[in-house]
Amino acid sequence: MLGEARALPGEHDRNFVFEADDGQRFVLKIAHAGEQWETLDLQNQSLAHMAKQVPELHVPRVLTTSAGQATATIKGSGDTMHLVRLLSYLPGKALAQAKPHTPVLLSNLGKMLGTLDKALVNFTHPAARRDLKWDIPRAGWIRDYLHYIPSPDRRALLEQLLGHFETHALPLLPALRQSVIHNDANDYNVLVDYTGPDHTPIVHLLDFGDMLRTQTICELSIAAAYVMMDKVDPLASAASLVAGYSEALPLTDAELSVLFDLICARLCVSVTNSAYQQQIEPGNSYLTISERPAWHLLEQLAKISPRFACYTFRHACGMVPSPTSNAVVNWLKGHTAGIGRIVEPDLKLENVPVFDLSVGSPELGNSLEPGDMAFTTQKLLSRMQAAHSPVGIGRYIETRIIHTNIERHKESNDGPAWATIHLGLDLFMAAGSPVYTPVAGIVHSFSHDDETPGTGPTLVLQHTVADGSLIFYTLYGNLSFDSLIGIYNGMPVEQGTQIASIGDEPPNDGLPPHLHFQLITDMLDRQGRFPAYALPGERAVWLSLSPDPNLVAGIPAARFPVASMSKEQILLSRAQHIGSSLSISYRQPLQIVRGSMQYLYSEDGRAYLDAVNNVSHVGHCHPHVVRAGQEQMAVLNTNTRYLHEKLVRYSERLCSTLPEPLRVCFFVCSGSEANELALRLARAHTGQRDMIVVDVAYHGNTSALIDISPYKFNGPGGAGKPPHVQVVPMPDTYRGKFKSDDSQAGEKYARFVQEAIGHIQEQQRNVAAFISESLLGCGGQVVLPSHYLQEAYRHTRNAGGVCIADEVQTGFGRVGTHFWAFETQGVVPDIVTMGKPIGNGHPLAAVATTPAIAASFANGMEYFNTFGGNPVSCAIGMAVLDVIEQEDLQASALQVGLHLLHELRALTNRQPLIGDVRGLGLFMGIELVRDRQMLTPAPEQAAYIANRMRDHGILLSTDGPFHNVLKIKPPLVFTQHNADELVSTLDTILDEDMAQP
Ligand code: PMP
């Protein structure tokens, strides 16, 4: 039996979905009155063919009548007759609404279309030979309709693209393979569901109404046209689709060379058709549904070189991107003896230094301030001087960030990206040094300006070799402006002649004078300019367009340092030599090679906004802190058994940030060591051993601290609570027993401390200490309710115990209103432990306590700590305090934190997944729930978001007992602008289908 019918949208036909008693769903398709039986038979036969050939394909199945017919007839209104069919229902949401279009999803779509087309290669049907306006080879019909497009600019755009299609693609089409294709894989005919293993997106295809026999490549072209819409980088999206398609059905050279033109032609048809339809049917929104994004895409595509697109597609299919690349490389390899010099000095000499200008190179020094290349310049020049070499080498395929400050970053489909991969070879030499022609040729083009980062005034020579069958280009950048005077395009240049000289203006990448020398296999119709750096995502294509210039320069391979380890090699070695209980963040691990203030840089030069590493409190590698450490390291580093002024000055300064009577410091090397010592102090002072801890707390990695860390002893691999430890519930007013609307919540939660003391005393023992963070970090960034610590401390002290504030995460101005987070609770602890931010990443930590407790600890046993309090650590600790003060970072934490809190709370109105936003200053948590009433935790979504934020270049982490809290605790140099970036990126990601891998 079929249940109730629900109407589905459709352009011409009426479609209804039914659910049978057994839960199976079907679609009843009632064709419009003019529909031909043969056309439906084409669909039915092809679907039956696919069901047999590729039963795994997600396309509809045709159900037959009891008489075995796939198409039946029903009577409509009046005398009209309609053809009806029953198809199986396909689940999922339209690709147009699925977010994001990940490479995996697009590749799966490509694979499904390739599989479908492969299955249809041997399928024929008389009705497949149809004249359809959507058949791309017939796109020329729109020429007569272009006047329906009101804007002259837009008409010109279509004429440009259509012109290229007609002159370049159309003549090649007759020779391309043909077959019956679906011909309409638009983003409403493609459905996506995430029920596959690991939520792998499964792709379904429906609506076979536009099937016809045509060039097979049209199938992919149509899907690509839709997949590329609304993308920052449409070519990258199309490449994923092409990669999947070619896996199932390999593409030919000729097909790949017309693909881009066919995509453009399809879009031209689409927008022209909709302009025409709007004239005759104003108000039909279905027909114009894809007009706006199609126009935007056309404008994007007009700026892309069709050959670059072709090379990108070739790469997606596993081919060499630039078709002449191998031939150029082979020709140069075979003619080394005949190639002349580029510059005067002999580059083969052993003393020629090869520099490391990669992202993580110490040669770049500490500062990444725009234009501040003085350190590097000095370093390079002095290395050349020391080596008595007039020339130094900058490497090809080196990942650099030094130029990125002069080039606006680009956007990728996943947030910002920077062109960082150096495509040339740099020859650092004195300004004015002559540049020679290594191979005879003609001047192809030149440019006087210095718009292209890294190349300055530039000359390009064209070389025609191998009896005229092969052309390649050499590019000379950072030339002197004057040396280009008198040069004209087409000017012949003999091998060995001086063609220019190195510029005397400083090159626009901030480096000392150098020739940027680059090899190019296809100028992509550019004149005088060519990218000197490639985006990591386009690396293979650009490296094929610009092969190794050393094929001309001839520097011996041994002169280049061994390549650094790849991510895969590091992972492999880690697996062998590093304990596997050390975890790695993110599904796609990050290799970080440099830090600067609130940014971390990966090996490919991408900048990540760090919203999670509170250790780098005043900013990664803050110059003042770095200098303090370096200077002291060069003078003395030893232990506290010798008198040193820095130790006492630092302890005085640290104590001055604390309330009385916290006047005694111990310096150690980690937060764990600090808490370990705090336990010993408390136990020595009280003579007791029992501890009261807050649930889900983490206090450190030593045996004694695992015992007081419910996060660990109740977590995976934990051995449970030891008898000497009492756990009190987290005073969590969002999820706990007493909520934020209870003004007595703090006092009520603190009563659990009183109860715990009772349990200890029942066993004839007493409490040594109550330990708590001043905001609960691992517990999920929980802000303590008012009076909680006051009351908990009162109970503890009444029983003779001491109170420990673990400020390892929260201290040093992070909470904004106060320097120490315990101050927000109006208490003075007996012991304060500090770590993480105290040394801005240097292994420094401390315990501050009262003279009385310190005295109890001094029972005759020496406390010795080899590294704790050494002069280098003290210099660094002092420098951190300097920066907090000088840069007013506590005030900034307050201001930026309030702004961020406000913006995140505003997001709550639109994003149902956000259950709670809480925090003080720049210590914040976003708790994600699937249901705001039930508070059902959303850990999978939290993990998804952290990973996607990372994809978009923003680092966060997750925590909390249910792993559903996003943690935000950035370096305090985090700005309001950074906060806005975080919020808008989070907003975008919250809109995504979060079931995706
Ligand atoms: N206490 C708290 C609250 C912490 O978060 C941590 C570290 N996550 C520690 C102590 C231990 O510090 P460390 O890792 O430096 O030993």
Side-chain angles (χ1 to χ4, degrees):
M1 264 311 282
L2 294 181
E4 196 132 306
R6 178 166 58 85
L8 293 173
E11 192 179 348
H12 301 298
D13 304 333
R14 306 280 310 271
N15 301 322
F16 299 92
V17 60
F18 291 92
E19 186 164 321
D21 290 346
D22 63 359
Q24 275 201 71
R25 281 181 289 176
F26 301 93
V27 178
L28 184 74
K29 292 182 76 72
I30 306 177
H32 62 100
E35 186 62 281
Q36 303 287 310
W37 182 88
E38 289 75 13
T39 314
L40 296 187
D41 190 56
L42 162 65
Q43 295 180 41
N44 296 341
Q45 299 281 350
S46 64
L47 287 170
H49 177 86
M50 281 180 256
K52 213 184 296 161
Q53 300 266 315
V54 277
E56 73 280 8
L57 209 61
H58 297 270
V59 292
R61 292 291 153 88
V62 185
L63 288 103
T64 54
T65 63
S66 48
Q69 289 174 316
T71 308
T73 311
I74 57 163
K75 201 166 165 304
S77 55
D79 281 341
T80 55
M81 299 300 284
H82 292 271
L83 297 169
V84 295
R85 296 180 300 146
L86 192 64
L87 305 182
S88 62
Y89 174 86
L90 298 178
K93 75 196 298 193
L95 180 67
Q97 275 140 15
K99 283 184 195 166
H101 289 179
T102 59
V104 175
L105 167 59
L106 298 178
S107 158
N108 283 356
L109 169 59
K111 224 176 290 174
M112 108 82 74
L113 293 172
T115 310
L116 182 149
D117 288 348
K118 191 175 170 196
L120 290 179
V121 162
N122 56 4
F123 173 81
T124 56
H125 192 283
R129 294 196 183 274
R130 312 163 69 187
D131 269 356
L132 279 189
K133 65 181 174 189
W134 297 113
D135 184 17
I136 305 179
R138 296 172 199 269
W141 68 263
I142 64 169
R143 283 221 175 267
D144 295 337
Y145 289 77
L146 292 182
H147 61 273
Y148 285 104
I149 294 160
S151 152
D153 289 349
R154 286 185 160 183
R155 281 202 301 276
L157 175 67
L158 294 200
E159 280 180 11
Q160 175 204 328
L161 295 171
L162 202 60
H164 198 272
F165 160 76
E166 285 171 343
T167 53
H168 175 251
L170 215 47
L172 297 173
L173 293 186
L176 300 187
R177 68 180 145 184
Q178 299 195 10
S179 59
V180 176
I181 62 167
H182 175 279
N183 197 42
D184 195 16
N186 74 50
D187 50 2
Y188 282 90
N189 285 344
V190 172
L191 301 180
V192 185
D193 85 59
Y194 302 102
T195 54
D198 290 334
H199 304 302
T200 317
I202 301 175
V203 173
H204 309 256
L205 184 66
L206 40 86
D207 193 351
F208 285 67
D210 283 342
M211 288 189 95
L212 88 174
R213 183 180 167 83
T214 188
Q215 275 71 15
T216 313
I217 187 68
C218 294
E219 188 88 290
L220 184 58
S221 314
I222 294 161
Y226 288 93
V227 151
M228 291 166 100
M229 281 187 216
D230 287 322
K231 298 295 188 310
V232 175
D233 183 354
L235 213 47
S237 299
S240 301
L241 181 81
V242 172
Y245 188 94
S246 73
E247 245 179 71
L249 184 61
L251 294 158
T252 65
D253 276 6
E255 284 175 327
L256 286 163
S257 77
V258 298
L259 179 55
F260 186 74
D261 282 322
L262 297 186
I263 294 169
C264 294
R266 165 68 189 217
L267 287 162
C268 291
V269 172
S270 189
V271 293
T272 311
N273 187 61
S274 94
Y276 169 65
Q277 297 284 353
Q278 274 175 59
Q279 298 278 332
I280 57 170
E281 262 186 87
N284 185 339
S285 61
Y286 187 86
L287 292 167
T288 57
I289 201 158
S290 59
E291 193 193 46
R292 189 202 50 79
W295 275 114
H296 177 63
L297 176 55
L298 281 164
E299 280 152 17
Q300 288 174 297
L301 298 188
K303 292 186 198 126
I304 296 174
S305 149
R307 289 206 301 287
F308 183 78
C310 170
Y311 302 162
T312 304
F313 297 150
R314 287 172 60 92
H315 173 60
C317 298
M319 298 180 187
V320 176
S322 162
T324 57
S325 192
N326 283 350
V328 171
V329 168
N330 289 335
W331 187 89
L332 288 167
K333 279 185 179 163
H335 292 78
T336 36
I339 295 171
R341 62 184 176 170
I342 315 166
V343 288
E344 200 101 43
D346 184 354
L347 301 176
K348 293 187 174 62
L349 293 180
E350 279 219 349
N351 63 329
V352 175
V354 176
F355 302 128
D356 178 1
L357 298 172
S358 68
V359 189
S361 169
E363 269 168 345
L364 301 186
N366 173 236
S367 170
L368 285 180
E369 286 300 301
D372 186 5
M373 280 284 115
F375 176 89
T376 307
T377 299
Q378 187 60 38
K379 199 120 185 173
L380 303 195
L381 295 180
S382 63
R383 274 193 61 192
M384 280 160 62
Q385 222 163 28
H388 301 292
S389 173
V391 60
I393 310 291
R395 298 177 296 171
Y396 169 66
I397 335 189
E398 185 169 66
T399 305
R400 299 182 182 174
I401 48 173
I402 41 183
H403 68 288
T404 52
N405 48 36
I406 52 166
E407 186 189 37
R408 227 170 43 78
H409 71 254
K410 301 182 165 60
E411 288 292 322
S412 77
N413 288 336
D414 272 340
W418 287 265
T420 51
I421 298 163
H422 190 228
L423 296 171
L425 187 73
D426 289 327
L427 301 176
F428 291 92
M429 292 178 72
S433 304
V435 176
Y436 300 100
T437 315
V439 181
I442 58 167
V443 171
H444 171 271
S445 51
F446 57 95
S447 131
H448 279 150
D449 62 48
D450 59 352
E451 272 179 26
T452 308
T455 60
T458 299
L459 175 68
V460 181
L461 300 185
Q462 176 177 326
H463 312 277
T464 307
V465 296
D467 297 327
S469 67
L470 188 62
I471 293 177
F472 69 92
Y473 309 85
T474 48
L475 178 147
Y476 309 80
N478 296 324
L479 300 177
S480 91
F481 181 86
D482 291 348
S483 70
L484 292 178
I485 293 170
I487 279 179
Y488 59 92
N489 289 358
M491 180 175 118
V493 278
E494 289 298 314
Q495 185 184 43
T497 51
Q498 180 180 345
I499 38 157
S501 51
I502 293 179
D504 32 21
E505 289 286 308
N508 64 5
D509 51 15
L511 291 169
H514 63 279
L515 171 69
H516 170 96
F517 176 66
Q518 192 170 338
L519 201 56
I520 297 167
T521 60
D522 183 341
M523 282 297 290
L524 302 172
D525 305 321
R526 293 166 198 248
Q527 293 291 313
R529 297 193 200 120
F530 201 80
Y533 290 91
L535 288 166
E538 296 174 352
R539 176 188 165 103
V541 180
W542 287 108
L543 293 190
S544 150
L545 280 163
S546 276
D548 190 350
N550 199 30
L551 291 163
V552 175
I555 303 159
R559 310 265 332 121
F560 294 94
V562 259
S564 39
M565 284 170 99
S566 69
K567 259 187 192 176
E568 293 67 31
Q569 287 169 323
I570 294 176
L571 277 168
L572 204 68
S573 179
R574 241 184 108 116
Q576 284 166 356
H577 302 297
I578 303 290
S580 60
S581 44
L582 273 74
S583 74
I584 299 174
S585 296
Y586 305 113
R587 229 167 7 225
Q588 306 281 338
L590 274 176
Q591 186 185 350
I592 296 297
V593 295
R594 176 172 287 269
S596 181
M597 307 317 280
Q598 67 272 49
Y599 295 98
L600 286 172
Y601 295 83
S602 54
E603 86 297 351
D604 62 359
R606 184 168 187 190
Y608 288 84
L609 176 61
D610 184 357
V612 73
N613 286 295
N614 55 339
V615 172
S616 305
H617 193 63
V618 300
H620 289 278
C621 304
H622 191 291
H624 182 68
V625 179
V626 169
R627 213 174 309 119
Q630 282 173 338
E631 283 176 3
Q632 183 56 46
M633 180 102 90
V635 176
L636 175 73
N637 200 16
T638 181
N639 63 62
T640 47
R641 280 180 178 153
Y642 305 105
L643 296 185
H644 201 284
E645 185 180 332
K646 281 212 161 70
L647 175 70
V648 288
R649 285 231 179 273
Y650 182 46
S651 48
E652 283 167 12
R653 179 115 178 247
L654 201 55
C655 286
S656 74
T657 67
L658 289 158
E660 291 283 359
L662 296 164
R663 284 294 165 266
V664 183
C665 290
F666 294 86
F667 292 109
V668 293
C669 311
S670 69
S672 298
E673 259 194 89
N675 279 330
E676 181 74 32
L677 179 58
L679 285 197
R680 289 184 61 194
L681 290 170
R683 285 171 176 162
H685 189 64
T686 59
Q688 301 296 333
R689 183 157 178 263
D690 283 63
M691 296 290 299
I692 300 171
V693 300
V694 178
D695 203 4
V696 202
Y698 174 69
H699 293 294
N701 59 29
T702 67
S703 303
L705 296 178
I706 296 300
D707 279 354
I708 63 158
S709 296
Y711 186 74
K712 291 291 179 195
F713 66 63
N714 281 336
K721 184 182 82 63
H724 67 276
V725 175
Q726 300 294 322
V727 179
V728 293
M730 280 199 287
D732 174 357
T733 56
Y734 178 67
R735 191 176 276 286
K737 190 168 172 188
F738 311 111
K739 307 282 188 206
S740 52
D741 57 2
D742 184 342
S743 62
Q744 299 294 304
E747 287 86 345
K748 287 179 184 169
Y749 280 114
R751 275 181 215 143
F752 291 110
V753 175
Q754 179 63 44
E755 260 176 44
I757 292 168
H759 287 313
I760 299 169
Q761 289 172 344
E762 275 165 23
Q763 297 167 70
Q764 320 307 319
R765 302 194 303 266
N766 209 346
V767 60
F770 164 72
I771 181 168
S772 173
E773 288 181 86
S774 310
L775 276 90
L776 311 182
C778 292
Q781 308 291 91
V782 173
V783 181
L784 303 179
S786 334
H787 305 119
Y788 176 68
L789 284 186
Q790 260 173 15
E791 284 297 289
Y793 280 17
R794 188 171 64 80
H795 297 314
T796 307
R797 284 170 176 157
N798 283 345
V802 300
C803 302
I804 306 173
D806 181 335
E807 289 271 346
V808 169
Q809 294 269 2
T810 51
F812 295 89
R814 175 161 296 276
V815 295
T817 50
H818 300 80
F819 198 81
W820 300 103
F822 64 75
E823 294 174 288
T824 64
Q825 286 272 308
V827 293
V828 178
D830 304 302
I831 302 172
V832 178
T833 58
M834 313 161 192
K836 293 187 189 284
I838 188 173
N840 209 46
H842 178 83
L844 167 63
V847 181
T849 190
T850 64
I853 292 176
S856 305
F857 187 58
N859 63 358
M861 182 193 286
E862 185 199 4
Y863 179 76
F864 179 64
N865 193 313
T866 304
F867 302 121
N870 69 68
V872 173
S873 296
C874 292
I876 287 175
M878 192 88 93
V880 171
L881 293 176
D882 288 343
V883 180
I884 297 173
E885 222 172 271
Q886 286 160 12
E887 297 185 13
D888 217 359
L889 292 180
Q890 182 181 321
S892 178
L894 180 63
Q895 190 204 332
V896 177
L898 280 174
H899 174 77
L900 182 55
L901 198 68
H902 178 265
E903 294 300 303
L904 288 171
R905 286 193 171 145
L907 218 54
T908 311
N909 301 330
R910 281 184 302 106
Q911 298 292 358
L913 198 63
I914 301 182
D916 191 31
V917 179
R918 55 192 177 233
L920 296 177
L922 283 173
F923 196 77
M924 222 167 274
I926 306 171
E927 179 148 3
L928 303 179
V929 292
R930 284 184 299 162
D931 181 315
R932 284 187 181 169
Q933 251 63 53
M934 306 298 293
L935 307 186
T936 324
E940 276 194 9
Q941 287 80 354
Y944 176 89
I945 291 168
N947 277 292
R948 287 291 292 155
M949 290 292 280
R950 170 241 183 267
D951 292 345
H952 279 257
I954 300 180
L955 306 182
L956 297 175
S957 67
T958 61
D959 226 325
F962 306 102
H963 310 287
N964 64 326
V965 179
L966 295 171
K967 293 210 286 194
I968 302 176
K969 44 189 184 106
L972 298 194
V973 286
F974 201 77
T975 63
Q976 188 154 319
H977 173 72
N978 296 148
D980 291 338
E981 271 177 272
L982 186 152
V983 173
S984 75
T985 308
L986 182 64
D987 193 18
T988 308
I989 289 166
L990 280 164
D991 281 335
E992 293 183 351
D993 308 327
M994 295 204 195
Q996 290 207 32

